[in-house]
Amino acid sequence: MHIASNRGAGRGVRRRALSRAMALMAIAALLALTGLVIYALEGMASISRARPVVIFSAPTLARLAMDLAAKAGLPADIRGLGSLAAFRLIQQGNVPDLYFSVEVELAPWLQARKIVMLGSYELLLLCRGAHDLRDISHVTVALANPNTAPIGYRALAELYLLAQRGLLNIGQVQEELGVRYSSLSNGTVLIDAANMAPSGRFVMRSNIEEAAALVEQGAAECTFAYWPFILSRGYAQGYSIISLPPELRFLQDPPVPFIVKLSSGTIRVGAERAFVASFSALGDLVLRFLPQINVSAYGLLPQP
């Protein structure tokens, strides 16, 4: 009996020792995990303290980009560039932390860490003074350069579609824009805008921001613009915002398939979809705050 009691006591001692060892191991693991978390957070903090987040943004999305960086508590170096111009810089090795683009067709060509779709948006006609859509046949129109900004080639597609409705003379449009429309055997319309050189009542600038500035200054009467851009720049007040026919707003693919020949290659003209791409840990950090942003307040719509 005495021997059995000693054995039982020994087992109890061993169990208590094992329990203490396991508890110490759990505490050590927790401390290690806590250290890793603190290290990661300190690393992120040091990244954010080192420099502002560099953002290439289409002018249409610049306000959203600015507010997202502010939500993350970071200073931002936002460079307003047409989506194509920014894309070419990235391809050449000038890579930002974040790239806000209005052209989803470019997304598959990016070697990004993360890509997040932002939503769709509507194409409209922005005019100075009282106008309606029928005036497109005779007013001075400012266009963005299709070789640097997607709204430039969407405007070219829109002019073709409006000519189909009898609102424009397509021959005159081709002559004054220095572009060529040609129908392919599969029904697709090819727009050759590689050497576009507007004249007459058409003027061209690098991007939507510069084209809209011509309307502000009275150097042009109308320009095509996206609703998020109109909203962010306050053009909804004091200007005529002219809706296009529903099927011509690019919320869906256009009723006629288009391919545009640009100075750098060709691109399909599809429905308007915006996205943001991250290329760095700092960009990833900023994107963590995107769910806290109501993108509909910036004129973006959920994707259909």
Side-chain angles (χ1 to χ4, degrees):
M1 294 294 293
H2 180 67
I3 293 174
S5 175
N6 286 341
R7 288 177 178 174
R11 285 195 296 272
V13 170
R14 287 194 295 275
R15 282 196 295 270
R16 288 193 295 274
L18 180 60
S19 296
R20 285 196 296 271
M22 292 178 66
L24 289 172
M25 290 174 64
I27 292 170
L30 180 59
L31 289 173
L33 179 60
T34 302
L36 287 173
V37 171
I38 292 173
Y39 177 79
L41 291 174
E42 288 178 345
M44 287 296 187
S46 65
I47 290 174
S48 65
R49 287 194 299 268
R51 59 173 175 79
V53 55
V54 177
I55 301 175
F56 290 177
S57 177
T60 294
L61 302 172
R63 176 62 62 182
L64 171 59
M66 184 185 305
D67 289 351
L68 179 60
K71 180 70 72 172
L74 297 174
D77 177 6
I78 299 178
R79 304 174 191 179
L81 298 164
S83 290
L84 283 174
F87 175 79
R88 291 195 190 102
L89 287 176
I90 293 169
Q91 296 295 85
Q92 293 165 9
N94 189 351
V95 181
D97 297 300
L98 291 171
Y99 167 50
F100 282 76
S101 174
V102 294
E103 182 50 89
V104 72
E105 298 289 331
L106 301 174
W109 302 96
L110 295 171
Q111 295 182 344
R113 292 164 61 105
K114 185 179 296 184
I115 291 178
V116 179
M117 300 307 298
L118 296 173
S120 59
Y121 48 93
E122 183 178 1
L123 183 67
L124 299 157
L125 189 63
L126 169 68
C127 294
R128 181 186 182 91
H131 289 286
D132 61 37
L133 189 55
R134 292 169 296 182
D135 295 335
I136 193 70
S137 64
H138 59 267
V139 296
T140 303
V141 179
L143 299 174
N145 188 340
N147 292 286
T148 56
I151 194 167
Y153 52 75
R154 286 209 171 86
L156 296 180
E158 188 68 38
L159 292 172
Y160 180 91
L161 295 170
L162 293 175
Q164 280 194 322
R165 291 174 170 253
L167 294 174
L168 290 165
N169 181 304
I170 195 63
Q172 183 180 4
V173 168
Q174 290 184 108
E175 181 179 349
E176 291 187 327
L177 285 177
V179 303
R180 288 293 175 266
Y181 297 92
S182 55
S183 297
L184 305 181
S185 58
N186 62 358
T188 298
V189 173
L190 173 65
I191 307 173
D192 185 348
N195 299 303
M196 180 173 165
S199 61
R201 63 189 187 86
F202 291 102
V203 291
M204 184 172 71
R205 291 295 183 269
S206 178
N207 57 44
I208 186 176
E209 185 174 34
E210 295 176 6
L214 293 179
V215 176
E216 278 192 47
Q217 298 159 8
E221 292 173 82
C222 296
T223 189
F224 290 100
Y226 302 133
W227 174 240
F229 177 79
I230 292 171
L231 196 61
S232 69
R233 301 306 173 99
Y235 289 131
Q237 303 294 326
Y239 290 83
S240 295
I241 311 301
I242 301 170
S243 294
L244 300 167
E247 66 276 18
L248 307 188
R249 297 174 188 174
F250 285 92
L251 290 172
Q252 305 288 343
D253 284 345
V256 176
F258 290 97
I259 292 178
V260 183
K261 180 182 178 183
L262 304 171
S263 58
S264 58
T266 60
I267 191 167
R268 185 184 79 94
V269 185
E272 295 162 339
R273 302 284 184 269
F275 72 91
V276 55
S278 170
F279 296 91
S280 70
L282 186 55
D284 291 351
L285 175 63
V286 174
L287 285 187
R288 292 181 188 177
F289 293 86
L290 186 58
Q292 300 180 31
I293 298 285
N294 177 15
V295 296
S296 64
Y298 298 85
L300 291 166
L301 303 171
Q303 290 183 208

